[in-house]
Amino acid sequence: MPSRLLLSTGAAVATTALIIGCGAMRSSSGNPMSFFITSTNPGKGGDLGGLAGADRFCQSLATSAGAGNKTWRAYLSTTAANGQPAVNARDRIGTGPWTNAKGVVVATSVADLHSANAKVGKDTSLTEKGEVVSGFGDPVNRHDILTGSRPDGTLAVPDPGKDTTCGNWTKSDGGSAIVGHHDHKGTNPDPVANASWNSSHGTRGCSVDQLKMSGSAGLMYCFAAN
C-alpha cells in the first residue's frame, strides 16, 4: 500500500477516534446544571409523595434535561412525625456550588445561598429547561415556590394545630405550606418577606386550586447534592 494512502487512512482513524472520544466525554459529563425550579408540579398540589417523592420528581426532570448523572434533592423542610426527626431544607442539598441551566452560579455554598449575596432571582432561578418562571406582574403569577422553610433554610415550625409543609408534602387539600418568592416581589405588607426567595408566607391550602389563589403552581427548588 502506498505510504500516502497509509497516512490518509491513519489520519482518518485518528479523526474518528477523536470525534468518538469527544462524544463520550460529553455523554459522561452531561448537563452541568445543578440548580433549577421545577417546570411543573407532579399533579397533586402540595402532595409531592413526601420528601422521597419530591426527590424522585427532581431527579426525573433533571434526567429529562440531561443532568440525571447527579443526585438531586428537593429544597423542602418537614416536621417531626411518626418517630422521624424534623428535616431542614438546607441540610439536604449538598455543599455547592450550584449553577443554573445557563451556567450562572447562583450560590457557592450553603452559607452563601442563605445570604444577601445569593444570586437566586427571577432571571437566574430557571427551570430545568432553562426557562424563566413567571412572577408578580406577569399575566400568570407562579412566583410562590414551595419550601416549608424559614429564611435560613431551617423548618418553619408551625404553631399548634397549624401547617407549614402541606402535611410533610402529603396533602392535596386543606393544610398550608410556606413558600418563597423567586422574583423577590409581592403584596405582603412585610417587605422583607416579599423579598425572600424561600420564606415569604403561607398558602391558602394545598390543592392545585388553593395554591393558585396565592400565586403558586406547586413548583419547588431542586439542587444537586453532589
Side-chain angles (χ1 to χ4, degrees):
M1 183 181 293
S3 59
R4 182 176 299 175
L5 180 57
L6 284 171
L7 182 60
S8 299
T9 302
V13 171
T15 301
T16 301
L18 180 61
I19 293 172
I20 293 174
C22 290
M25 287 173 62
R26 285 193 296 269
S27 177
S28 62
S29 62
N31 186 337
M33 174 182 68
S34 52
F35 161 79
F36 64 88
I37 292 179
T38 58
S39 59
T40 187
N41 175 267
K44 296 182 179 180
D47 181 0
L48 304 172
L51 287 180
D55 289 345
R56 284 194 298 271
F57 192 61
C58 285
Q59 192 76 46
S60 174
L61 293 183
T63 298
S64 71
N69 58 329
K70 305 176 183 70
T71 300
W72 289 86
R73 295 285 180 266
Y75 184 92
L76 299 171
S77 296
T78 58
T79 61
N82 301 319
Q84 298 299 313
V87 174
N88 299 318
R90 64 179 291 144
D91 298 334
R92 332 186 56 244
I93 58 173
T95 58
W98 297 283
T99 60
N100 67 15
K102 301 297 185 183
V104 176
V105 176
V106 297
T108 58
S109 65
V110 172
D112 186 47
L113 178 65
H114 297 92
S115 75
N117 186 58
K119 304 302 187 294
V120 182
K122 184 178 180 181
D123 293 335
T124 54
S125 298
L126 308 176
T127 70
E128 76 281 359
K129 301 176 182 179
E131 298 172 343
V132 172
V133 176
S134 59
F136 185 76
D138 292 328
V140 178
N141 181 15
R142 303 192 302 161
H143 73 166
D144 285 353
I145 312 300
L146 301 172
T147 70
S149 305
R150 294 186 291 196
D152 65 355
T154 59
L155 168 69
V157 180
D159 293 330
K162 301 296 183 178
D163 187 14
T164 58
T165 64
C166 283
N168 284 347
W169 315 112
T170 63
K171 286 185 177 180
S172 59
D173 193 18
S176 181
I178 293 296
V179 295
H181 289 164
H182 86 296
D183 57 359
H184 307 295
K185 295 180 180 179
T187 58
N188 193 316
D190 182 349
V192 175
N194 266 340
S196 178
W197 67 272
N198 66 341
S199 190
S200 293
H201 58 81
T203 64
R204 299 186 185 183
C206 295
S207 71
V208 172
D209 289 339
Q210 289 168 328
L211 290 174
K212 285 181 181 179
M213 291 178 184
S214 57
S216 176
L219 309 183
M220 56 185 167
Y221 297 108
C222 298
F223 289 80
N226 61 353

